[in-house]
Amino acid sequence: MNTPITDWQGRRVWIVGASSGIGAALAADLAARGALLALSARSAGRLREMAQGMRDALVLPLDVTDAGAFTPAMMQILDAWGGLDLVILNAGTYTPLRAWDLTTDSARRTVHTNLLGVMDGVAAVVPQMIRQRSGAIAIVGSVAGYRGLPKALAYGPSKAALINFAETLYLDLAPKGVSVFIINPGFVATPLTAQNDFEMPALISATDAARRIVRGFAGGGFEIHFPKRFTCVLKVLRWLPDRLYFSIVSRGTDS
């Protein structure tokens, strides 16, 4: 479906949300494979620290909730490289929420970061990729976007919207030579998942997640999901009758 990415030597990659977790692990992995990296996150100091061990890395601090931040960063990339081969939109936020904890502030912050921040990033890179008739956009979603899950009252809907957004984006961009990947991880050990107070099935490290994502790029499929022993179960649960689904998922949920 997508053009497989197998040769990383000299490939121009922009990672948004690069300072920790999956983004930082991907940066380390791709730098070791010879990619040229542009690193974005709010933590300028952390990005500069990461860039010291990388060849000609660009440090482009930005806040994804600032809609005007992406275009100037993209201009810096074009000035330095003349084009862009892959953007990985990984920045996100997560606050465990139950119905009685929901506030408009928490919901808006989650949707703004996880969904609107990705849309703003896509809007900044699409014109250049269409001109190139090449390139790839990778959006980090989550299996929490498949169906409703406990404590994901704002996070889950934001990721569900990303999955739909990526599908629609693929329909528009594939005929123009631009690849679109949606990355739906299960539980990955990151600062965000460290907030969870429940057992996380099939938990993997961020380094392992990065390796699986790189393998997914090489496969060229639209969706990259992992670890499959967990994500395939959730895919089956998506199609269960509602009564059965809610019965299974609610077991062990605190009241």
Side-chain angles (χ1 to χ4, degrees):
M1 294 180 66
N2 289 312
T3 301
I5 305 173
T6 55
D7 182 8
W8 293 96
Q9 193 65 41
R11 191 170 293 273
R12 302 161 297 182
V13 181
W14 184 13
I15 303 177
V16 180
S19 61
S20 65
I22 293 174
L26 272 171
D29 189 297
L30 296 182
R33 296 172 189 267
L36 293 174
L37 296 181
L39 307 174
S40 289
R42 291 178 299 174
S43 310
R46 171 61 179 148
L47 295 179
R48 285 193 290 268
E49 181 182 301
M50 292 172 61
Q52 288 178 358
M54 299 174 182
R55 177 172 62 93
D56 300 324
L58 303 178
V59 173
L60 306 172
L62 61 78
D63 184 340
V64 298
T65 63
D66 177 3
F70 281 97
T71 297
M74 182 61 183
M75 292 302 101
Q76 291 183 62
I77 289 172
L78 294 181
D79 286 344
W81 296 340
L84 179 65
D85 298 312
L86 170 65
V87 62
I88 302 173
L89 296 162
N90 170 69
T93 189
Y94 164 64
T95 302
L97 286 176
R98 304 297 294 273
W100 43 89
D101 300 317
L102 183 65
T103 65
T104 55
D105 284 346
S106 62
R108 288 176 184 275
R109 182 170 58 252
T110 298
V111 172
H112 202 165
T113 300
N114 293 359
L115 177 59
L116 299 182
V118 168
M119 289 182 165
D120 289 334
V122 169
V125 304
V126 161
Q128 175 63 27
M129 290 187 174
I130 289 177
R131 283 193 293 270
Q132 295 172 176
R133 293 200 67 83
S134 67
I137 297 168
I139 295 169
V140 178
S142 170
V143 294
Y146 287 170
R147 286 197 73 165
L149 293 173
K151 299 189 178 182
L153 198 61
Y155 180 80
S158 72
K159 295 299 185 176
L162 279 184
I163 294 170
N164 186 286
F165 176 64
E167 290 171 347
T168 307
L169 198 64
Y170 178 88
L171 292 172
D172 284 345
L173 295 182
K176 298 183 182 297
V178 180
S179 297
V180 177
F181 297 88
I182 181 70
I183 301 166
N184 289 324
F187 289 112
V188 179
T190 70
L192 292 181
T193 57
Q195 301 174 81
N196 288 333
D197 60 0
F198 53 85
E199 183 179 351
M200 292 176 277
L203 180 70
I204 64 173
S205 69
T207 299
D208 189 4
R211 292 195 196 102
R212 292 168 188 256
I213 291 169
V214 172
R215 286 202 297 270
F217 287 144
F222 168 71
E223 184 187 12
I224 301 170
H225 64 93
F226 57 85
K228 288 187 169 54
R229 65 185 185 280
F230 178 61
T231 57
C232 286
V233 170
L234 290 183
K235 283 180 174 289
V236 171
L237 290 177
R238 292 174 79 181
W239 305 112
L240 289 179
D242 292 339
R243 183 184 298 274
L244 181 56
Y245 174 78
F246 289 132
S247 174
I248 292 171
V249 174
S250 64
R251 289 173 188 169
T253 300
D254 295 333
S255 59

